[in-house]
Amino acid sequence: MKKFTLKLFTALTLLFPLFGSFTGQAAAQETINVVTTTTHLTDLVQDIGGDRVEVTGLMGPGVDPHGYTPTPSDIELLADADLIGHNGLHLEAMFTDVFAGMESAGSNIFALEEIVSEDDVLDFEFEGKDLEQDPHIWFDIDIWKNAAQLVAAELTALDSESGEYFQTNLDEYIANLDELDAYIQERVEEIPEESRYLITAHDAFGYFGANYGFEVVGIQGLNSQTEAGTGDIAAVADLVLENNINAAFIESSVPDRNMQALVEAVAAEGGELEIGGVLFSDALGTDEENAGNYFDAYRTNIDTIVDGLK
Ligand SMILES: [Zn+2]
């Protein structure tokens, strides 16, 4: 009897390593804790990572990334993350020191700027002196495909067993981008070529303009945090009058006071400029606004632009 008990005990202890390996496998199936900055990147990581990731976006709908300052709880979330993703190209200007510190502390960080080549990046002359690089890369569908590839590679590096799953999501994402591109091209055709002017609060739409043939004018330049002078507004008002532009657009993440000032400046010269609607530029919106994800927001933008200008 004693012998049997011993045997049973031995059998059980032999089984424990097996139980252990089962728990080990369960651990491998744990989700990757990703912390991201902008809504566009958060949405991208969610789409590629699916149920293998737990994504926390620090910036919500309508939040301006140029001016967003990280909070103490943001820093805690970043410190606990398996993977940190940000746009880069100085978009999240207030995060520069935080990311530099985390990088030297050994955090796992990627920036979408890694995939933007010198040939692809748009340079922007600001106040006639510095050449800045345009950070609004999500509006360039080819660059955004590379961004999706980078995200898939980053996730696969942390969870190689899910590599095929990420690849499937990536293929689907790229197919959706192709479909979106076709939709944009088709809708843009509805606007007469001479009316393809996109006037917004700040220069978020440079890549969009370059790819789809729009002259893009932002009252505040590349950074929504800079102030527009009355001279800037007067210059844009002249452009509106000279080119018979009938509509300009508000951005959900930028106060609309400069746009109202522009409408008044045009009216003072005897012209008429309408507000063509709200565009989702540096932040996605909500599902109620039909802008809760990358694809809905881009489509909503195109519909607003085309309906305002055609
Ligand atoms: Zn911006």
Side-chain angles (χ1 to χ4, degrees), residues 64-66 91 135-136 138 202-204 222-224 251 282:
D64 179 2
H66 298 281
L91 178 71
H136 305 90
W138 50 93
H202 88 300
D203 258 314
L222 267 196
N223 190 328
S224 60
E251 294 169 59
D282 288 7

Side-chain angles (χ1 to χ4, degrees), residues 123-139:
D123 289 323
F124 186 87
E125 205 173 330
F126 184 63
E127 289 176 349
K129 37 182 181 170
D130 287 317
L131 273 177
E132 283 188 74
Q133 295 188 312
D134 189 336
H136 305 90
I137 50 175
W138 50 93
F139 285 128

